[in-house]
Amino acid sequence: MPIKRRKFLSLGLGSFATAAVGQYYLTPAQGSLAANEIAPVNSQSNHPPYFRFIAIGDFGTGEPEQYAVAQTMLQQWHSVPFSLALTTGDNIYPNGEIEKIEAVFERPYADLHQNGVKLYASLGNHDVRTNQGAAQIAYAGYNMKGRYYTFREQTVQFFALDTNQKCNLSGRMRESSWEKQHQRLRTELETSTPPWKIVFAHHPVYSSGAHGSDDALADALAPLFATYGVQLYVNGHDHNYERTKQINGTTYITSGNGAKLRPVEASSYSAHASAQLGFTAFNVYLDRIVVQAINTDSNVYDEVHILQA
C-alpha cells in the first residue's frame, strides 16, 4: 500500500537483513534503520522479564478461528504466563452488540480470566456501530476508563486511543472530538515518566494490509511519537500481522489476526508481514522489549528486540 512520497522520504528507511523468523536488534533512539546496529538475536535471556503481555485484534466473531487463537493463548499462558492483554478493536462483530459478550469474550477467554489476566480494550470500527461503543466502555471486563485512556504497568505506560474519531467514514463523530483526544494524548505524553511508552488503537498508521496506511493518522500521531519517545504503536483493522521497520524511533505493529485473515504483501517499510491466525506477545525487560508473533501452532514466526535508549 503506497504512502505519500513526502512522508516516505521522511522515514529514513535503510536496507535490512533477513533471518528465519525475522529476528533483529533495533535501537528506538535512532531515527533511521540504516543507522541502527542490526544483528540476529537469541530469544533466551539470563533474567526473566519484568512482565509479559499480549495483544489481540479483530477477534470477536465467536467462530472456531477465534477459539483456536484463544486456546493457543491459554497454552502460552501455561508455558510463559502473561499478566495482561490489549485489544486492538473489533471486539464484537458485526455491530458491537454487548448482548454477544458471553460468546465472543467471556467464554473463549474464561480460563485466562480465572487466572487473573486483565484485559484492556480499545474500540474498533465495528464496535462503534451500536451507540458509539458506550456499552463496551461501561463493561467491567474491558477495563476501559473512557473512550481513550492511559494506565501504567511497572515500567510501561500504555495509551489507548479511539481512532474512530479520526477515521470513522460515517462522519458520526466530529473532528473536534479527535482534537480533544489528540491534545489529551500530547499532555499525557509530556508528563509520562516510565521508560517505555506504548500506544494501542484500532486503525493503522502504517500498514501493508487491505486497508493500508492512513496519512491523516500519520500526520497527527507520528510527530508526537517521535517527540515524546513512543517506542511501539499496536493496531488492528487489517486482518494480518505486520511489523514495520523502525520509523523515526517507533515500530508499528499490526495485530489484527485474532479470528479473521486477509492476504498481505510486504511494503518497502515492512520488516515482516504475514497472514496467520494468532496474537502478539511482548516481553518487557529493563533495557528492551522482545516482540513475538505467535500463530495457532504456537510457533514464533517473527521476533524483534527493541532496545531502550
Side-chain angles (χ1 to χ4, degrees):
M1 180 66 64
I3 55 177
K4 289 181 180 178
R5 177 174 175 81
R6 63 174 177 81
K7 194 181 306 299
F8 178 76
L9 292 175
S10 73
L11 304 184
L13 301 176
S15 61
F16 63 100
T18 60
V21 292
Q23 298 179 321
Y24 312 101
Y25 282 121
L26 300 181
T27 306
Q30 301 291 339
S32 168
L33 185 70
N36 292 345
E37 179 183 1
I38 305 173
V41 302
N42 186 337
S43 61
Q44 302 300 315
S45 173
N46 293 327
H47 303 285
Y50 280 115
F51 75 102
R52 189 174 193 241
F53 69 95
I54 66 167
I56 56 171
D58 303 81
F59 59 92
T61 64
E63 298 296 327
E65 292 82 359
Q66 179 188 5
Y67 278 75
V69 175
Q71 183 61 32
T72 307
M73 291 162 54
L74 180 61
Q75 292 170 356
Q76 285 289 311
W77 184 90
H78 282 294
S79 175
V80 188
F82 48 88
S83 58
L84 65 89
L86 312 177
T87 85
T88 59
D90 284 357
N91 310 309
I92 305 175
Y93 283 104
N95 298 310
E97 309 97 320
I98 199 66
E99 295 81 9
K100 296 182 177 180
I101 195 68
E102 181 180 358
V104 304
F105 179 67
E106 293 175 351
R107 193 183 307 147
Y109 311 115
D111 290 329
L112 291 174
H113 301 164
Q114 292 171 7
N115 284 296
V117 176
K118 196 170 183 178
L119 184 138
Y120 294 87
S122 64
L123 296 174
N125 58 296
H126 286 267
D127 299 316
V128 299
R129 289 180 178 179
T130 299
N131 197 23
Q132 300 299 336
Q136 291 194 42
I137 295 171
Y139 174 63
Y142 283 173
N143 292 294
M144 300 179 72
K145 300 177 182 178
R147 192 167 296 279
Y148 47 90
Y149 60 98
T150 185
F151 67 96
R152 178 172 178 171
E153 179 72 20
Q154 298 192 43
T155 59
V156 181
Q157 186 162 357
F158 295 92
F159 305 84
L161 301 182
D162 178 13
T163 49
N164 293 288
Q165 292 189 333
K166 187 68 172 177
C167 302
N168 191 347
L169 299 180
S170 72
R172 289 175 294 176
M173 292 184 177
R174 300 190 303 265
E175 183 69 14
S176 59
S177 299
W178 170 255
E179 291 302 324
K180 180 180 178 181
Q181 180 179 179
H182 188 262
Q183 182 55 50
R184 174 74 176 272
L185 175 63
R186 179 188 296 275
T187 300
E188 289 170 340
L189 286 171
E190 285 177 345
T191 58
S192 177
T193 57
W196 295 105
K197 298 171 179 61
I198 297 174
V199 178
F200 66 104
H202 184 61
H203 295 86
V205 175
Y206 299 106
S207 171
S208 307
H211 293 291
S213 301
D214 189 291
D215 287 336
L217 272 184
D219 287 339
L221 295 179
L224 285 184
F225 295 169
T227 298
Y228 297 109
V230 173
Q231 294 98 344
L232 283 166
Y233 177 82
V234 188
N235 63 269
H237 201 41
D238 277 326
H239 297 170
N240 56 263
Y241 167 82
E242 182 176 16
R243 172 173 59 86
T244 71
K245 304 173 189 179
Q246 198 176 80
I247 299 174
N248 294 327
T250 304
T251 300
Y252 296 82
I253 303 286
T254 295
S255 188
N257 54 341
K260 296 175 170 235
L261 293 178
R262 293 193 187 103
V264 61
E265 293 185 8
S267 300
S268 58
Y269 48 82
S270 302
H272 190 104
S274 182
Q276 302 185 49
L277 288 172
F279 59 97
T280 310
F282 302 81
N283 300 276
V284 181
Y285 297 84
L286 178 64
D287 63 340
R288 69 197 185 281
I289 293 179
V290 180
V291 182
Q292 297 174 315
I294 300 173
N295 64 21
T296 48
D297 292 323
S298 294
N299 292 326
V300 176
Y301 61 91
D302 182 48
E303 179 174 305
V304 66
H305 288 211
I306 300 177
L307 303 182
Q308 181 59 255

